[in-house]
């Protein structure tokens, strides 16, 4: 009985340890450790007065994925998920209220991916711009226009 149990236990231990080594990047490509890679990088966005802008970033083989923005802006993370393919997705939103605190007209945000072995990868810079919304209404022979600009 003991002769059958020992090989089975060794097989289980080896299988589990191999999974742990793969998860933490110890087994990688021919050239070494698995490095983080972007699946989707953030795009440039307009921040409207009543509609926040959503930044999306997705990367594989990361332990942490986050946004860093200029001018001290801290985006509100609204979604963070990891799937079975080692891909992590983060969605953050920038509202006009957050944008007011920057005292500037535009902000730049990058997505930072930290790999299993500590390797750091930065995405392309996404520009966030405030958008002026203007409306024009004609009433009879007069033109009425208004502009919404939240500063």
């Amino acid at each position: 009985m003991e002769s059958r149990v020992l090989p089975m236990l060794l097989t289980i231990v080896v299988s589990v340890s191999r999974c742990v080594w793969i998860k933490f990047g110890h087994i990688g490509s021919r050239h070494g450790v698995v490095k983080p890679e972007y699946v989707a990088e953030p795009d440039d966005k307009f921040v409207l007065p009543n509609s926040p802008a959503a930044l999306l970033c997705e990367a594989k083989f990361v332990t942490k994925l986050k946004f860093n923005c200029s001018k001290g802006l801290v985006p509100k993370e609204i979604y963070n998920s990891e799937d079975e393919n080692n891909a992590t997705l983060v969605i953050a939103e920038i509202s006009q209220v957050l944008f007011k605190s920057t005292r500037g007209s535009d902000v730049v945000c990058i997505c930072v991916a930290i790999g299993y072995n500590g390797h750091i990868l930065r995405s392309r810079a996404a520009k966030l711009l405030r958008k002026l919304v203007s409306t024009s209404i004609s009433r009879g022979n007069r033109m009425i226009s208004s502009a919404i600009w939240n500063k």
Side-chain angles (χ1 to χ4, degrees):
M1 175 93 174
E2 288 180 22
S3 62
R4 285 190 243 161
V5 173
L6 185 59
M8 215 165 42
L9 285 175
L10 284 174
T11 305
I12 292 171
V13 169
V14 169
S15 298
V16 169
S17 66
R18 182 166 172 79
C19 290
V20 169
W21 279 81
I22 291 170
K23 173 70 176 170
F24 291 105
H26 297 290
I27 295 176
S29 63
R30 295 181 318 179
H31 304 290
V33 182
V34 175
K35 293 183 180 177
E37 61 183 61
Y38 284 104
V39 176
E41 296 185 57
D43 293 324
D44 298 345
K45 299 285 182 180
F46 287 107
V47 180
L48 302 174
N50 296 322
S51 177
L55 292 173
L56 180 134
C57 184
E58 186 175 11
K60 284 184 163 185
F61 313 118
V62 297
T63 57
K64 186 167 187 169
L65 193 61
K66 64 180 183 172
F67 284 102
N68 281 346
C69 298
S70 63
K71 300 184 181 179
L73 181 74
V74 179
K76 178 184 172 190
E77 191 175 288
I78 58 174
Y79 185 77
N80 189 338
S81 173
E82 183 177 345
D83 67 11
E84 65 275 356
N85 297 326
N86 282 335
T88 302
L89 173 68
V90 172
I91 300 174
E93 85 177 2
I94 309 291
S95 66
Q96 192 67 248
V97 174
L98 285 173
F99 216 104
K100 280 183 188 180
S101 66
T102 64
R103 294 189 175 96
S105 60
D106 59 345
V107 172
V108 176
C109 292
I110 60 169
C111 184
V112 179
I114 301 171
Y116 297 137
N117 63 345
H119 184 79
I120 297 173
L121 185 63
R122 290 173 178 83
S123 71
R124 67 174 289 285
K127 293 180 187 174
L128 299 173
L129 304 167
R130 279 198 223 183
K131 183 65 178 165
L132 175 68
V133 178
S134 64
T135 56
S136 297
I137 302 168
S138 63
R139 187 171 195 168
N141 58 358
R142 287 198 292 165
M143 187 70 108
I144 302 167
S145 65
S146 66
I148 300 170
W149 181 259
N150 288 358
K151 287 189 178 182

